[in-house]
């Protein structure tokens, strides 16, 4: 069991990124937006709210004809995603604020970002997504408010 599964629910979060930047460029950008520092490896960022790993998405290489045709699933095939594991002592409120800041920063830079986690309804873009889907359900929180 992850440390984040204790207490106020599971705070682990993935953020899919629609970006063609190099992994090194993206690591520096995420570190800046998260008020963190790049880790020793090009996929790590250390922050005051958790450990962030920048992962190359294996599904990015899936041939287009084998991908889901549903528009709301498009983010699953983006080039990168972040895995964010919160620090054990972080409050849910602080964690949501920090992830929201990263999502908004990515959006301002024109980088598509979709959060997929238990707390996605608390992140930027949730209200827009819910009003757009016929059944009112959401799939991920978006930096742009669109999926």
């Amino acid at each position: 069991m992850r440390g984040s599964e204790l207490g106020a629910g599971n705070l682990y979060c993935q953020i899919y990124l629609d970006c063609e930047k190099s992994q090194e460029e993206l690591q520096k950008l995420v570190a800046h937006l998260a008020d963190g520092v790049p880790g020793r490896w090009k996929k790590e960022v250390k922050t005051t709210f958790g450990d962030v790993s920048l992962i190359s998405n294996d599904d990015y290489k899936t041939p287009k004809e084998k991908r889901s045709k549903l528009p709301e699933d498009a983010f699953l095939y983006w080039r990168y995603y972040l895995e964010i594991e919160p620090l054990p002592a972080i409050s849910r409120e602080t964690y949501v604020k920090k992830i929201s800041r990263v999502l908004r920063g990515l959006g301002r830079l024109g980088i598509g970002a979709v959060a997929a986690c238990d707390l996605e309804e608390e992140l930027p873009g949730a209200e827009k997504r819910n009003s757009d889907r016929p059944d009112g359900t959401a799939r991920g929180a978006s930096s742009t408010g669109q999926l």
Side-chain angles (χ1 to χ4, degrees), residues 16-83:
Y16 289 83
L17 303 172
D18 188 15
C19 175
E20 294 301 319
K21 293 184 180 296
S22 72
Q23 199 166 18
E24 294 91 301
E25 290 176 297
L26 201 49
Q27 178 199 36
K28 290 175 186 172
L29 178 64
V30 170
H32 173 74
L33 294 173
D35 290 328
V37 294
R40 184 174 174 183
W41 310 106
K42 66 181 177 182
K43 69 174 200 167
E44 298 175 334
V45 175
K46 302 294 182 188
T47 73
T48 59
F49 61 90
D51 292 324
V52 180
S53 296
L54 174 59
I55 310 293
S56 291
N57 187 0
D58 289 338
D59 290 335
Y60 176 72
K61 297 174 186 168
T62 301
K64 291 190 186 221
E65 63 274 4
K66 294 189 178 194
R67 295 180 181 187
S68 171
K69 304 299 183 231
L70 299 173
E72 64 267 22
D73 288 343
F75 74 93
L76 296 171
Y77 303 98
W78 289 353
R79 186 172 181 183
Y80 300 110
Y81 62 90
L82 301 174
E83 286 189 339

Side-chain angles (χ1 to χ4, degrees), residues 4-15:
S4 59
E5 292 175 345
L6 303 172
N10 186 1
L11 298 182
Y12 168 83
C13 190
Q14 282 187 328
I15 300 176

Side-chain angles (χ1 to χ4, degrees), residues 8 11 49 86-98:
L11 298 182
F49 61 90
L87 295 176
I90 194 81
S91 74
R92 183 181 189 95
E93 179 182 357
T94 299
Y95 188 68
V96 167
K97 284 180 184 177
K98 297 291 189 175

